[in-house]
Structure formats: C-alpha cells, structure tokens
Amino acid sequence: MNTGTYSTTGELAKHATLILGALIVILPFYVMVSFSLKSPQEIGTHAGGFFGSQQAFLDQYCVKLGNPEADCWRNPAAYNYGNAFKKAPLLRYLLNGVIVTVSIFVIQVLIALPCAYALAKLRFWGRELVFGLVLFCLLIPVHAIALPLYIMLANVGLTNTYAALVIPWTISVFGIFLMRQFFKTVPDDLIDAARMDGMSEFGIVWKVMLPCAIPALMAFAIFSVVAHWNDYFWPRVVLTGSRDLYTPPLGLREFQGGLDGADTGPLMASATVIVIPLLVAFLLAQRKFIEGITLSGMK
Amino acid sequence: MDIKLERVVKSFGSAMAVDHVDLHIKAGEFLTLVGPSGCGKSTLLRIIAGLESQTSGSVSIGGDTVDAVRPSERNLAMVFQSYALYPHLSVRENMMVPLRLRDLSAAERMPLLGNLLPSRATKMHAIRSKIDHAAETLQISHLLERKPGELSGGQRQRVAVGRAMVRQPTAFLMDEPLSNLDAALRVHMRAEISGLHRSLKTTFIYVTHDQAEALTMSSRMAVMMDGQILQVDTPERIYRNPADLRVAQFVGSPRMNIFPGEVDSLGRIQTLEFSLDHVPSEPVQGNVSVGFRPEHLRIVNGSGGHDFTLKVTHKENLGADYFIHGAVADGNHQVIVRATPEEVTGVSIGDELGVGCYKSSSLVFGDSNKRIDLRPGLTQ
C-alpha cells in the first residue's frame, strides 16, 4: 500500500491541468494589456513580446491629415492611452460607471438587508411562500424580461436617464437570498439582546446585522459591482440617444467602428482603463473581506 | 418590585411549552427555573422578558401588567447563554448600547449633529462613569477597549453581565449563562454570580438545566417539567421534601433510588424484601414508589442487619466519598449507595453486599407521582 504518498505523475498531471486552466483565463487579459502598449505594426506582426519595443512609430492618420511626417512620430503606449481618452470621453464614461454601479449597489443593500432580515429572523404568516418567490425570481433570466422592462421605462419617459440604468436592478433577489442565508447564521440571542437593549427592528438591521454581515456584503458587492460595471446589454437597450450617459463598456464601441487597424491599440488601452477600477476595488474589498471574517468573534 | 405570572400559557401549535404557570417572584430574590431541556423554562423566561408573547395569561412587574410593553421598556436585563455581545463593538461600546438607547434622545444619538448638543456631553459623562463603575465591580476595566472576539469565555460572560448591570434593571434574567464555560470556571462563576446578587440586591431569575447550579445559588428554585412548575421552594426543602417523584429524581446527584412498593392489607408499605416503619398518614392503596437518596443507604458488613443485597457493578471514587453502583438481587433494579472509603476497601466489582436503609428518610410517592406523607407506624 502506498497511501499517504503522492505519485509524481499524478501530481504532474494535476498541475499541468491547473496551469492550462490558468493560462486560458489569463491569456485574453495578457493580450489586452500587451496590445495596449504596442504600436499598430507590432500588433499586426505579433512582434515585440509583452511590452513591445516602445520605439516611436509613424502615425499614418496624422500624416493623412497633412501634417509633416516629423510631427507624426508617436510613442506606442502614450499614443494608445492618449487616444483612449481623446477619441472618446472615457473619464465621463468611467464617472457614469461609478454613478450607476454605486447607486445600484447602495439601493440594492437598502432593500435587500431589511428583506433578508425579515425572511431570516422574523416569524410571519406566508414567510416561506415569499422566500419561495425570491428563489423563483432567481431563475428568471434578465434577457427574458428586458423588453417589457424597456417598454415600461419608455412609457414613463425614463429611457436615456440614469434612472433607466439603475431602477431595474435595485431589487436584487440574489442579494436578498445571499444575505438571508448569512443572516440565518447570526445567533437569535444577539437579536434578542438588541431588543432588550431597546433597538428597533430597523436599528437591528443596520446596527447589528449589517456589521455582522460585512463579509457577505463584500461578496455581494463584488457580484453586483462587477456585473453592472461590465454590463453591456442593458445600457445598450435603454441608452438610445445621447452618449453622455454611456457606461464604460458602451464606450468601447467608439473604437469598434474604426476601419483602420490603428484603433486596436487605443481600444485595448481603454479596455485596460475600464478594468483597472474593478481590480483596485476588488483588492480593497479583499482586505475588508478578511477583516470582516476576523471581526466576527461570535461563537 | 415583585414579578407575578398568572396562568401563563404558551403553546406552539398543539404542543404546550408553558402550561398554566403561576409564579410569584419576590423583589430581591434569586429564583432559579430548573428543569430538563425542553421543559419550557427558557420560554417562560423569554415571556417574562417580553421577547416571546404568551398565548394566554398575564405577567406583571411591580403590580403593573406588562403584557403589551416592549422588552426594552420592561426595564429587565438579560444575560444569554451565547453572551450575545455585539461582535463589532468594543467592550465599552457594548456596555454603552443599552444606556445610549435609553438615556440619549434620537437627536443626541446622531453621529455628528449629536456632538453639538450640550445635553449630550453631560449624559455621556454619566454613562461613562456608570460603565467604569460596573467594569470595576466585575474586574474588567482592563478589557474595555477590546473586541469580544479577543476575550475568553469567562471574560465574555462578565462583559455580558456588565452590559446587563449598567442599566440597573428591576431584575436580571439569565438564560443558562454558565453552560458554555468549562467545569472549573463554571464553579467559580457560580460563586461570583451569587456574590453579585448579594451586593446588588436585585431580583435574579436564573434558568438552568443543572440542578447543582440551582441548589447552590438560588434562594428559591422552581422545578419545571413538561411546561409545568412542579414545586417552588428553597433548595433545602426541594431536596429534603420533594412534592413530586419527578422533582425527587431530578434534584440531587446521583439520582435518588426508586423502588416499586405496594401497600399491604395492614397499611404498611412493602418494597423489595422489606417494609417501611412508617405508614401513610392518609389511607393509600395499590402501588407506590419508594425513594431513597444514595446517602440514605449504607453498606452493612457481615451477614444479617441488611434490608437487601446488591451485586456491585461499578465503584465511583469521588475522593471523600464512594458511590457504589449495583444491581439488586432480583436483577431488575439498579441502585446507588454512598459509602465512605473505609467501608469499601476490599470491595470489588461482582461482590455481593448487604445494604441497609435509613427507613425514616424514605420518600414515598403514589400514583400520578404525588408525594405521600408518612407518620410513624403503630407497630413501633
């Protein structure tokens, strides 16, 4: 018997599989960052490795506009990132993204926490039925109700507003479900202690349950913010006019129309720019996440 | 202020958790609600606290009916088994919560605006000094800035008591506060809570399933079973004079030995191979149960003089005492006898021992578990 020791080939196979999986996940990201740093020629010929040679290249578009060639030499990275912000109001789009995702998340929390508390900890007639409905709503795909939602918003004249981007997502059944599951694990004694201390039920939700639920809330925040920051479908549906309300993914469209391949670099640069806030937010949340876990000294 | 329960009933569907309970808790007493798990004692405590509403009956505190009064306005404080400290707040903040909510107005509690109100400063000063005083009493002053997660079980327990103390409640309600502690600490905290009761002179209502806690700490204990209070009395009288067979068996460790008996035609009570010297004060017929506590049985060496014999199955050494577990000769009854170490030297498992009974200490229970009073028999 050889229990307890690992066979070398088995280990190798496992790691090979994992490495392959990691590559599949990371490669598109790698290509995006790499292209955002390279000149059009390097992108076209797949030359220059990750960073590219970073040698100045001739901007053909600039030449076509009739500028002297000497003024049209560009550093690739600066050109790509510069154009990302120049060709489209990327900062405006980023701001829109922040306004929309933060509004959605805050309102989702305002609604989901009291609902989750009621479903987890209060006894009332029909509670199980309501919870069943919550689970049922989890099964409805967004795209199935997109059209009716659009028509309703159009009828009340809300298309092309922030409201149209935010309102349909304010009630998150997933959030209610997730928080309800977490609240179930909070001891009843803690709630009773708060009641004895004189807290109202809403006081309990915000001053007792919320601080206990920081880890779950962080998990929900990641889901919610990532989903709505990256959402292309819904903004595309309800924003039909002004580009002032475009969210970052819609902003990427500005580059897709370009006929010359020179736009690939700036496109990848803007894609990188809109991903960075998410990465930063995630890293910050991750630290909070761990703090949240160590915070709960309940047994 | 006295706390009175009148005909309190709590039913969950068809199950009766609390079954027509009447209880009068006098101001300043340490009353223990004791019973096996599921007997309704915690439910009863939660009804007093207002966390659970009774199906019928009423609760009054100091003469005022509080059935429609919110838990926080009953001015009771509760200590929970799991301590139930707010995990995100420091010890000081934990103890501050009940006072902030009671003494500060909503405006004064506002995060920034509240600081501008002059009345807040004086109130906060009073709150702080109350907390410092309570912390000193409980010897947790050095822990005030810590979070509950950084405290040991015993320390959390003290903080929970402190949070209850600061509001100077009419009564402390304690729901098995010691059962999460290890054995040594539990014995220590028993003494500490009794000491706290003596110094505060406030009513304590203490729920436990541990009859030892009830016997050692309370001024009166109420033994509950199946939602009913079987007997309320001082620990001494509950132990010596149980009114019900279930009380007799629940209180005392090891359990009381119970033998089946019957009343013969002369009115004497026969059990095992002997009869009791005492006879029922009122005429009784049929089957009875005869109880002897382990200390009311003794090992009788040599032949003769014993009331029955047992075969030793187990020797339990408690240092000062031994408990001899054995099977009565007829094989149907287990019995526990207390003995001194001297009496059991040389006794080993499987030995046959003679056992004598202090017959005047026997407790006899009739049908429906009710106690039967005895008087000295005519034959004496």
Side-chain angles (χ1 to χ4, degrees):
Chain A
M1 289 295 279
N2 208 9
T3 49
T5 63
Y6 299 102
S7 78
T8 323
T9 43
E11 282 299 286
L12 280 177
K14 266 187 237 165
H15 281 87
T17 316
L18 289 173
I19 287 167
L20 188 70
L23 284 179
I24 290 171
V25 173
I26 288 172
L27 267 179
F29 196 76
Y30 173 90
V31 169
M32 177 186 78
V33 176
S34 174
F35 278 17
S36 79
L37 298 169
K38 288 185 184 178
S39 67
Q41 288 79 8
E42 285 169 328
I43 293 170
T45 57
H46 296 288
F50 181 70
F51 289 106
S53 60
Q54 292 302 322
Q55 274 170 356
F57 72 98
L58 188 61
D59 180 0
Q60 300 295 345
Y61 186 64
C62 167
V63 175
K64 276 183 205 153
L65 288 178
N67 295 311
E69 235 175 69
D71 290 345
C72 288
W73 289 91
R74 302 275 187 265
N75 171 279
Y79 170 82
N80 290 342
Y81 282 90
N83 260 12
F85 284 94
K86 222 182 321 172
K87 288 193 78 172
L90 198 54
L91 281 178
R92 171 85 218 183
Y93 298 164
L94 288 171
L95 179 70
N96 287 341
V98 170
I99 291 172
V100 170
T101 46
V102 170
S103 312
I104 289 175
F105 178 64
V106 168
I107 302 175
Q108 278 177 337
V109 169
L110 285 177
I111 292 172
L113 254 61
C115 291
Y117 173 68
L119 286 173
K121 293 293 183 188
L122 301 181
R123 275 177 282 169
F124 57 91
W125 187 87
R127 183 177 78 165
E128 297 313 308
L129 178 73
V130 173
F131 183 59
L133 287 176
V134 168
L135 290 179
F136 177 71
C137 286
L138 276 176
L139 304 175
I140 301 175
V142 174
H143 305 86
I145 54 169
L147 195 59
L149 266 179
Y150 173 76
I151 293 168
M152 283 159 70
L153 287 168
N155 281 342
V156 289
L158 281 177
T159 47
N160 294 308
T161 59
Y162 281 126
L165 293 171
V166 173
I167 287 173
W169 312 112
T170 49
I171 299 174
S172 164
V173 281
F174 174 68
I176 294 171
F177 173 71
L178 186 78
M179 297 317 289
R180 183 253 185 199
Q181 295 307 95
F182 190 84
F183 284 174
K184 277 256 166 205
T185 67
V186 174
D188 288 343
D189 278 0
L190 192 60
I191 294 162
D192 286 336
R195 286 186 186 135
M196 295 292 293
D197 284 347
M199 272 192 215
S200 65
E201 295 299 305
F202 274 105
I204 292 171
V205 172
W206 302 118
K207 292 188 198 133
V208 179
M209 301 306 268
L210 176 66
C212 287
I214 294 290
L217 206 61
M218 282 295 148
F220 175 55
I222 289 170
F223 281 112
S224 167
V225 169
V226 169
H228 296 111
W229 180 269
N230 288 338
D231 191 15
Y232 179 80
F233 172 76
W234 185 250
R236 184 83 185 84
V237 171
V238 290
L239 300 183
T240 52
S242 158
R243 297 185 167 189
D244 288 348
L245 295 176
Y246 271 21
T247 55
L250 274 187
L252 288 183
R253 272 164 42 86
E254 307 265 341
F255 298 93
Q256 279 183 327
L259 291 172
D260 47 1
D263 267 354
T264 310
L267 172 66
M268 289 303 169
S270 40
T272 308
V273 169
I274 69 169
V275 164
I276 283 171
L278 276 189
L279 282 178
V280 172
F282 177 73
L283 290 176
L284 291 178
Q286 196 187 28
R287 282 182 59 189
K288 266 277 169 214
F289 195 83
I290 292 161
E291 275 172 28
I293 292 168
T294 49
L295 194 74
S296 53
M298 292 289 298
K299 269 190 183 168
Chain B
M1 284 199 274
D2 288 13
I3 297 172
K4 265 188 192 161
L5 309 183
E6 274 165 55
R7 311 288 293 159
V8 170
V9 174
K10 177 74 185 178
S11 55
F12 296 104
S14 62
M16 291 279 242
V18 176
D19 188 1
H20 295 94
V21 163
D22 288 294
L23 187 59
H24 181 176
I25 302 155
K26 298 187 198 91
E29 81 172 327
F30 194 128
L31 183 107
T32 309
L33 289 170
V34 64
S37 19
C39 71
K41 55 195 191 299
S42 285
T43 310
L44 191 62
L45 191 75
R46 291 168 56 83
I47 288 171
I48 297 172
L51 294 170
E52 201 93 57
S53 56
Q54 65 270 34
T55 313
S56 68
S58 82
V59 179
S60 64
I61 300 175
D64 301 321
T65 305
V66 293
D67 298 333
V69 178
R70 283 159 52 91
S72 56
E73 278 140 33
R74 297 189 181 191
N75 197 27
L76 305 170
M78 192 146 169
V79 178
F80 295 87
Q81 182 180 353
S82 63
Y83 320 131
L85 301 174
Y86 305 112
H88 59 291
L89 299 180
S90 70
V91 168
R92 183 192 296 281
E93 290 162 332
N94 260 287
M95 290 167 71
M96 228 182 251
V97 170
L99 294 181
R100 273 175 56 99
L101 289 168
R102 188 187 66 183
D103 297 345
L104 298 188
S105 65
E108 287 165 339
R109 285 202 302 271
M110 298 268 276
L112 290 168
L113 193 73
N115 290 328
L116 302 174
L117 296 171
S119 56
R120 183 189 145 99
T122 49
K123 284 183 185 174
M124 281 305 282
H125 185 77
I127 289 175
R128 269 173 216 287
S129 69
K130 274 182 198 168
I131 287 166
D132 288 338
H133 180 72
E136 225 164 274
T137 313
L138 294 166
Q139 297 166 0
I140 51 170
S141 302
H142 59 294
L143 305 173
L144 282 175
E145 307 311 324
R146 297 213 201 150
K147 294 269 170 72
E150 300 164 326
L151 304 179
S152 69
Q155 289 170 332
R156 285 183 207 176
Q157 185 56 65
R158 270 181 220 188
V159 176
V161 172
R163 184 175 62 179
M165 251 170 79
V166 287
R167 63 192 293 178
Q168 289 162 316
T170 310
F172 286 89
L173 312 180
M174 302 196 168
D175 191 1
E176 311 223 3
L178 303 185
S179 48
N180 279 3
L181 303 177
D182 63 62
L185 195 53
R186 203 179 308 155
V187 172
H188 173 76
M189 287 301 285
R190 253 166 24 193
E192 218 163 88
I193 290 178
S194 300
L196 192 69
H197 174 248
R198 274 193 300 277
S199 63
L200 294 176
K201 298 182 175 66
T202 311
T203 316
F204 276 47
I205 306 173
Y206 187 103
V207 163
T208 180
H209 64 267
D210 182 351
Q211 52 88 31
E213 275 177 24
L215 284 172
T216 50
M217 296 166 76
S218 36
S219 39
R220 282 198 307 156
M221 57 195 274
V223 184
M224 275 190 86
M225 234 156 271
D226 303 326
Q228 290 176 316
I229 291 185
L230 299 179
Q231 193 175 2
V232 190
D233 215 328
T234 62
E236 296 77 33
R237 278 197 288 237
I238 293 265
Y239 188 81
R240 294 202 173 283
N241 218 356
D244 191 287
L245 176 61
R246 291 169 291 172
V247 175
Q249 282 186 298
F250 184 77
V251 178
S253 173
R255 276 160 78 95
M256 178 184 272
N257 299 297
I258 302 290
F259 305 125
E262 60 180 22
V263 182
D264 66 12
S265 52
L266 295 172
R268 287 181 310 183
I269 295 166
Q270 306 279 350
T271 182
L272 296 181
E273 303 146 24
F274 60 95
S275 60
L276 299 183
D277 302 334
H278 287 44
V279 296
S281 320
E282 309 284 326
V284 177
Q285 290 192 328
N287 294 327
V288 294
S289 302
V290 180
F292 286 100
R293 293 205 181 273
E295 64 266 31
H296 297 145
L297 299 176
R298 65 184 189 280
I299 305 288
V300 180
N301 290 315
S303 59
H306 62 260
D307 293 307
F308 63 95
T309 58
L310 66 77
K311 194 169 191 183
V312 178
T313 54
H314 179 58
K315 268 170 79 176
E316 199 178 355
N317 183 0
L318 293 178
D321 287 319
Y322 268 83
F323 287 108
I324 302 296
H325 298 236
V328 181
D330 65 6
N332 294 328
H333 298 98
Q334 296 296 314
V335 60
I336 301 172
V337 181
R338 189 178 75 175
T340 60
E342 293 75 38
E343 286 171 321
V344 296
T345 41
V347 171
S348 51
I349 300 200
D351 287 0
E352 291 253 330
L353 289 179
V355 176
C357 307
Y358 296 100
K359 289 180 191 153
S360 55
S361 302
S362 67
L363 300 168
V364 179
F365 302 90
D367 31 313
S368 71
N369 299 325
K370 287 281 163 282
R371 175 78 180 280
I372 296 170
D373 288 330
L374 302 181
R375 60 181 172 77
L378 297 172
T379 51
Q380 273 189 320

